[in-house]
Amino acid sequence: RGHTVVSWTLNSSEIIGRYETGTASLEERIDSARRCEVRGYPVRYRFDPLILHRNWRTGYADMVDEALSKTTPQNITLGSLRFLPGHPKLTRQLHGQRGLGVFAGRFVAGPGDRKRRYPAEKRIELYRFLIGRIRERCPDVPISLCRETPEVWRALSGELTLRGCNCVAMPLP
């Protein structure tokens, strides 16, 4: 009756299999979203945390193609991996050395929030790739960023539609 919006966090099948153990597969998540959409619920997607991994372009292109061939989301929010300095230690305690692969790579401290992120140019490259792929499939879907720096917002301002995240209540169209 217009009072409920459902949102799914999606990631590439490789990342789900490697780091999201015990969770629904990409296919199960999309099927669940499709069933809700068929019943009249507005569907939103959050592609987060996007992680640069071997063959990330193929993995994320497949994710976008699968999701947008079966559903028409109300909006999509993008967010890349970000973490506080203590997260690698916590991950090692919970998952052992196997879990630390997610932190492989070069991360830099963000302005003012102590979060470590991929360098801005890498995040912009990742987001531009996804925005382009999404636009090929669903040209009018609003796209936004989650917990991103002003520098990245400015770089992508002409390519984004919203100024808020899926987490923020937005009026239904």
Side-chain angles (χ1 to χ4, degrees):
R1 296 185 183 151
H3 297 285
T4 304
V5 174
V6 288
S7 182
W8 281 261
T9 299
L10 302 185
N11 218 314
S12 73
S13 292
E14 181 176 343
I15 295 301
I16 291 170
R18 188 183 306 167
Y19 298 112
E20 298 181 13
T21 55
T23 66
S25 69
L26 176 61
E27 295 77 18
E28 290 169 328
R29 296 174 198 195
I30 293 168
D31 184 58
S32 178
R34 183 194 56 75
R35 286 184 281 130
C36 286
E37 186 176 54
V38 165
R39 288 171 178 79
Y41 290 94
V43 168
R44 296 179 182 179
Y45 285 131
R46 182 172 167 149
F47 300 166
D48 189 9
L50 296 166
I51 297 173
L52 295 172
H53 58 287
R54 189 178 25 186
N55 299 318
W56 65 265
R57 289 177 192 273
T58 300
Y60 287 127
D62 290 348
M63 175 195 72
V64 168
D65 293 349
E66 180 76 14
L68 300 185
S69 69
K70 296 184 177 172
T71 61
T72 305
Q74 181 187 49
N75 69 290
I76 298 173
T77 302
L78 308 175
S80 65
L81 178 66
R82 60 224 171 257
F83 57 95
L84 291 169
H87 285 154
K89 180 180 177 184
L90 178 61
T91 300
R92 185 174 41 253
Q93 290 171 348
L94 294 172
H95 301 287
Q97 287 300 116
R98 178 186 75 78
L100 291 179
V102 73
F103 300 109
R106 189 171 68 99
F107 294 93
V108 295
D113 65 1
R114 296 184 39 228
K115 289 183 183 162
R116 305 202 49 88
R117 297 174 166 88
Y118 296 115
E121 61 274 6
K122 288 291 191 187
R123 298 193 319 271
I124 291 166
E125 176 186 0
L126 173 62
Y127 294 145
R128 279 208 168 111
F129 173 80
L130 281 162
I131 291 166
R133 193 69 177 210
I134 292 165
R135 292 284 179 239
E136 288 173 13
R137 286 272 188 185
C138 204
D140 298 323
V141 67
I143 302 172
S144 188
L145 301 178
C146 179
R147 299 183 187 261
E148 227 357 301
T149 62
E151 171 188 15
V152 172
W153 272 104
R154 280 190 299 275
L156 297 169
S157 64
E159 302 166 56
L160 300 169
T161 316
L162 297 173
R163 287 282 177 204
C165 180
N166 264 352
C167 305
V168 178
M170 290 182 276
L172 299 173

